[in-house]
Amino acid sequence: MECRRLLNFLLPLMLGISGTWLLPISHLELMEFDSRFLAQVLLNVNASVEPCEDFYGYACGNWSANYEDTQSYLDMPGYMDYKYNKQLLNALESHCQQGGIYELLWAYYVSCRDLAQPALNELLHLLEPQLDLEWPIFRSNHSEQWRNETRFDWLATLAKLRVYGLNGVFIKQDVNVRRGNGSHYVLLLAPQLADEEPLGEQEVQDLYAAFGLDESLAKNLTDKLMQLEWRLGNLTLQESPQSTDSLTEWTFAELQQRLPQINWRHYLLELLDADVADAVQLVQVTALNASYLEQLQLILADSSNETICYYLMFKLLYAFNEELPPTGSNETRSTACVLQLRGHMPLAMNYLYEQHYYSERRAATDAALQKLQQRLSKEFERLINENHLQLNALELSYVLEELHSLRLKIGNMPPGLTMSQLMAYYKDLQLQHNDFYGNKLQLLRFYQRLDQQLLANQPGMWPAHEYYQQDAVVARSSSPGKIFQNAVLLQHGYLQLPLYDARLSDLLQHAQLGFILAHELQHAFDLFHIVYDGRGNYNLTGLALLQHFANFISCYTERNAQQQLLLSESMSDIVGLRLAFASYFNAVPPTDRPPVGNYTQQQLFFINSVQFLCANMQEITGMSVTQDAEHGLHNERVNRNWPHHEQFANAFNCAAGQAMHQADKCRLW
């Protein structure tokens, strides 16, 4: 679809729920709105499933029949992103002639959408001047020595490629905050991770052949490359992962003295702009030691410079492969290009949505969400003061201070953002309608430079609490999250039907988005975040608090042998569900809880609370990768955690012996 002017419209909401955001003015209209919303929710219920045996199958069993476009999404979060992407595309197509930020966004989108035949070699060619080398794969005569063989600087090449997003090869490098000062950024260095995606032997050989090498040469080069990959893999397996507690903080001089195997000054000057490199005075190091670097040097010394360069090239190709638009239908390509823009230019895309969708409902929606957050926080404060964990006065004060300083950030953009501010932010970009590969490298470099600029520890255009700079992968998702600046970030994509509307009754708001907010609120107090205080500083009081979680962990893991990451998510589910439930029902007398049709209000609460997790589980479980490392599969997550709520079994009359009846309910706070 070419750039055109359209009337701005919201996507039609499912099953007759109006797409307009003009607030109803009568109580009757509000009741009708609730009824239509509940009708949609209850269509997802599979009444043939016994809720006390498989609550997820009961509450979400018919979801797939109502959301049939499995080519575009497999679960409700996927549907919300699908809908959000469609809205962004509509806004972009409708306003692309307005100039300014619209022109920049449109240029990248068109270059992505109209790319005839995605080819990774084009990206490699464009990088050659930046790297000051010729990739060995492109030399005209492979029987002759590679021209860079005697003057190849792998460390400088690695640093330059990091600017385009390559990370975790030989050395992993990130920007992190100081443990004792959460507002100060430092460089974090670590060894290559053992779980980095390995090169596949047949895939590498096929790629060599695709570049035009004959079978014999392709096999010979593949053998050399795989030998290097095998030795590096063995080296990384020797390095045991270390926790946050093991972070070592050194001055730059100490780094060079303790790990002299690498010329760190040379690395930083290739990696960072000169002014930023000069500003790096402190670094954090985890698991990176002299033994690892000495063995790395020995391994690389046993390989030719050509093989090392090929290794970096293939690692880069693996990373770049995720950056190419997919082949397929026009809709698939268009959606993928919008998704890429969300990752590369999140602030601009958030501005686009704000201007053309959210601004007209911001006042009512923000007020309703802040009110909801306040109720959840008040309920959590009540639980804290009950002191089930038997905290001492210092620990109680620590937790309450963290709670009181926790903010709800609605939409990730500075308040009052203007077009001129936005253009100043993106002033270095020169995106072209017909240069996808050049655009891609510009945006990759732009993002990495923004990230690395934090190391200068100078004020940016906006303070971190006004605009939170996210990883590109995270920015492409609408899922809410707890961010380090002690805030819950609620993205625009979830703030619409079929998940949320400010016109919904308190019951329905608490049950679904209220639970989501309460879950994220709890992450401020989970196994990872509790050690950081309300200012983002590592705190020994928070570390001491972990001992009070022992009874809950013992209770929960007795039946569920979970990894720590999954345990934190389960804790947030269990406590979050309790907060959302209590913040509504504690404020509503039993006499004011009339049933709705065949359902009690408590039953409706629990049914609605899982709707954002509804999915086509048959498709998901049939995929090669089925495990969400943080949360677990949707159905297992719900059936594992919801029975721990003290009112769940009562609401559905679940008896002892049934799967959803939890005799020993695990309580944290």
Side-chain angles (χ1 to χ4, degrees):
M1 183 181 295
E2 292 305 314
C3 175
R4 54 189 172 85
R5 293 196 177 277
L6 298 173
L7 290 175
N8 192 30
F9 62 94
L10 291 171
L11 290 179
L13 298 172
M14 300 189 65
L15 296 177
I17 299 180
S18 171
T20 181
W21 288 96
L22 298 174
L23 291 180
I25 58 174
S26 73
H27 180 66
L28 178 60
E29 285 177 307
L30 287 172
M31 292 177 63
E32 290 175 348
F33 189 82
D34 260 14
S35 296
R36 292 197 299 273
F37 179 85
L38 278 174
Q40 172 63 51
V41 169
L42 296 178
L43 279 175
N44 297 333
V45 171
N46 185 350
S48 68
V49 176
E50 169 54 57
C52 294
E53 296 295 344
D54 176 10
F55 184 65
Y56 181 88
Y58 170 77
C60 292
N62 286 337
W63 183 86
S64 298
N66 299 318
Y67 296 78
E68 296 178 343
D69 191 354
T70 54
Q71 298 299 314
S72 302
Y73 51 84
L74 291 173
D75 58 9
M76 185 61 89
Y79 172 76
M80 298 307 294
D81 269 326
Y82 170 78
K83 178 176 180 177
Y84 184 65
N85 292 336
K86 287 286 190 182
Q87 292 170 321
L88 288 170
L89 179 56
N90 174 61
L92 189 55
E93 289 178 335
S94 303
H95 301 277
C96 58
Q97 294 179 355
Q98 290 186 9
I101 198 63
Y102 296 96
E103 173 60 23
L104 275 181
L105 292 170
W106 185 249
Y108 181 84
Y109 171 75
V110 170
S111 74
C112 176
R113 181 199 64 185
D114 295 346
L115 186 64
Q117 188 173 355
L120 289 168
N121 59 313
E122 294 293 335
L123 286 167
L124 294 178
H125 276 306
L126 284 175
L127 280 173
E128 287 182 318
Q130 313 299 322
L131 302 175
D132 191 25
L133 61 75
E134 173 197 56
W135 295 106
I137 196 71
F138 293 138
R139 69 182 186 267
S140 56
N141 188 346
H142 283 272
S143 63
E144 297 179 356
Q145 187 182 55
W146 174 44
R147 71 174 62 174
N148 291 87
E149 180 64 39
T150 58
R151 60 180 186 88
F152 177 65
D153 184 344
W154 69 263
L155 186 63
T157 303
L158 185 67
K160 290 174 181 176
L161 290 177
R162 180 69 187 94
V163 175
Y164 295 98
L166 184 67
N167 196 10
V169 179
F170 304 158
I171 299 167
K172 190 175 189 319
Q173 167 248 309
D174 288 299
V175 174
N176 198 21
V177 294
R178 293 190 68 185
R179 289 176 61 186
N181 181 357
S183 64
H184 189 98
Y185 293 92
V186 293
L187 193 68
L188 173 63
L189 299 169
Q192 178 171 319
L193 300 180
D195 60 357
E196 284 292 314
E197 182 181 5
L199 300 176
E201 183 172 357
Q202 189 59 54
E203 190 172 17
V204 167
Q205 189 167 332
D206 290 344
L207 282 169
Y208 273 129
F211 277 107
L213 276 58
D214 63 54
E215 183 178 351
S216 175
L217 181 57
K219 187 176 188 313
N220 179 267
L221 292 174
T222 300
D223 289 344
K224 293 178 181 179
L225 201 65
M226 296 313 296
Q227 176 67 13
L228 176 57
E229 172 80 320
W230 179 79
R231 294 187 67 185
L232 288 169
N234 282 345
L235 173 60
T236 57
L237 287 172
Q238 297 171 23
E239 303 299 322
S240 56
Q242 298 191 17
S243 68
T244 306
D245 297 338
S246 68
L247 282 178
T248 303
E249 199 166 270
W250 293 336
T251 65
F252 186 77
E254 287 174 326
L255 171 70
Q256 192 61 66
Q257 180 183 8
R258 297 180 188 224
L259 299 177
Q261 297 82 6
I262 297 291
N263 184 337
W264 294 107
R265 182 65 181 170
H266 178 52
Y267 177 75
L268 283 191
L269 286 174
E270 296 291 350
L271 174 73
L272 306 170
D273 294 332
D275 60 331
V276 179
D278 290 339
V280 175
Q281 301 298 322
L282 290 171
V283 295
Q284 289 175 343
V285 178
T286 177
L288 190 68
N289 52 47
S291 174
Y292 172 83
L293 292 176
E294 287 168 0
Q295 292 182 71
L296 174 65
Q297 296 277 28
L298 289 173
I299 291 171
L300 295 180
D302 287 342
S303 296
S304 67
N305 279 334
E306 179 181 339
T307 299
I308 297 170
C309 188
Y310 271 131
Y311 186 80
L312 292 176
M313 186 191 83
F314 276 101
K315 287 293 186 180
L316 187 66
L317 290 177
Y318 271 47
F320 276 172
N321 190 52
E322 301 298 319
E323 298 292 340
L324 294 180
T327 56
S329 68
N330 291 338
E331 181 182 10
T332 299
R333 171 70 70 90
S334 294
T335 301
C337 294
V338 169
L339 197 60
Q340 287 195 16
L341 275 172
R342 288 178 64 186
H344 290 317
M345 300 178 70
L347 183 57
M349 295 298 270
N350 292 344
Y351 175 85
L352 188 71
Y353 192 84
E354 167 77 24
Q355 290 297 305
H356 302 291
Y357 289 99
Y358 194 67
S359 59
E360 64 183 22
R361 64 181 191 266
R362 171 172 282 282
T365 302
D366 283 14
L369 291 170
Q370 293 292 354
K371 180 180 177 182
L372 185 57
Q373 176 79 351
Q374 290 167 10
R375 288 180 175 178
L376 295 169
S377 296
K378 182 178 179 181
E379 179 59 30
F380 188 43
E381 183 170 359
R382 186 188 67 79
L383 278 183
I384 292 169
N385 286 323
E386 282 185 2
N387 206 9
H388 174 75
L389 292 180
Q390 298 181 354
L391 308 181
N392 63 35
L394 180 62
E395 292 166 337
L396 273 173
S397 175
Y398 176 90
V399 174
L400 288 170
E401 181 186 359
E402 176 97 359
L403 176 63
H404 293 155
S405 62
L406 187 70
R407 297 175 298 105
L408 175 61
K409 180 162 181 55
I410 304 168
N412 190 19
M413 57 181 287
L417 179 65
T418 65
M419 176 71 81
S420 61
Q421 289 176 321
L422 206 54
M423 292 307 294
Y425 183 75
Y426 290 111
K427 62 182 171 56
D428 294 331
L429 295 179
Q430 302 292 327
L431 306 180
Q432 305 297 324
H433 292 71
N434 58 354
D435 187 13
F436 171 78
Y437 302 108
N439 293 342
K440 175 65 69 174
L441 292 181
Q442 277 194 71
L443 287 169
L444 288 172
R445 184 181 180 89
F446 174 78
Y447 174 79
Q448 293 302 327
R449 286 304 192 205
L450 281 178
D451 196 41
Q452 293 166 3
Q453 196 67 33
L454 295 172
L455 295 169
N457 287 294
Q458 297 296 321
M461 285 190 68
W462 303 284
H465 70 271
E466 289 190 359
Y467 177 61
Y468 179 60
Q469 191 168 302
Q470 295 178 296
D471 181 87
V473 174
V474 177
R476 291 172 183 173
S477 170
S478 298
S479 296
K482 160 66 175 65
I483 59 178
F484 191 76
Q485 283 76 4
N486 202 31
V488 172
L489 177 58
L490 192 54
Q491 302 280 22
H492 288 131
Y494 270 33
L495 302 182
Q496 56 182 324
L497 295 168
L499 280 190
Y500 182 75
D501 189 299
R503 294 169 289 182
L504 290 170
S505 66
D506 283 352
L507 170 64
L508 298 177
Q509 289 196 43
H510 279 75
Q512 190 155 214
L513 201 68
F515 165 67
I516 293 171
L517 285 177
H519 173 100
E520 298 303 335
L521 180 154
Q522 276 304 299
H523 275 305
F525 309 92
D526 67 18
L527 296 171
F528 299 97
H529 293 98
I530 191 70
V531 298
Y532 294 97
D533 63 24
R535 294 173 296 280
N537 299 332
Y538 188 83
N539 193 297
L540 293 178
T541 301
L543 186 63
L545 269 164
L546 287 172
Q547 66 180 318
H548 295 286
F549 292 1
N551 287 339
F552 174 88
I553 293 172
S554 175
C555 171
Y556 189 81
T557 56
E558 184 177 351
R559 294 190 177 185
N560 306 281
Q562 305 298 327
Q563 298 297 319
Q564 191 179 61
L565 188 60
L566 190 58
L567 182 58
S568 279
E569 292 295 339
S570 297
M571 290 166 62
S572 294
D573 273 351
I574 292 168
V575 180
L577 192 65
R578 185 179 182 191
L579 292 182
F581 185 96
S583 63
Y584 173 74
F585 285 103
N586 286 355
V588 180
T591 54
D592 292 339
R593 305 175 194 169
V596 180
N598 296 325
Y599 299 93
T600 68
Q601 287 199 12
Q602 290 191 354
Q603 288 173 333
L604 283 177
F605 174 91
F606 288 116
I607 291 171
N608 200 31
S609 70
V610 302
Q611 293 303 302
F612 81 104
L613 293 173
C614 288
N616 186 333
M617 291 309 303
Q618 184 176 355
E619 287 285 336
I620 290 176
T621 54
M623 297 168 65
S624 57
V625 180
T626 60
Q627 186 67 27
D628 179 338
E630 292 189 8
H631 303 91
L633 290 173
H634 296 324
N635 57 341
E636 295 175 358
R637 172 184 175 182
V638 169
N639 288 346
R640 182 177 63 243
N641 295 333
W642 266 241
H644 285 279
H645 193 284
E646 60 270 23
Q647 295 300 325
F648 179 84
N650 292 337
F652 292 95
N653 298 313
C654 299
Q658 291 186 291
M660 299 298 296
H661 183 277
Q662 182 74 43
D664 300 317
K665 298 174 178 61
C666 300
R667 176 178 174 178
L668 182 56
W669 296 96

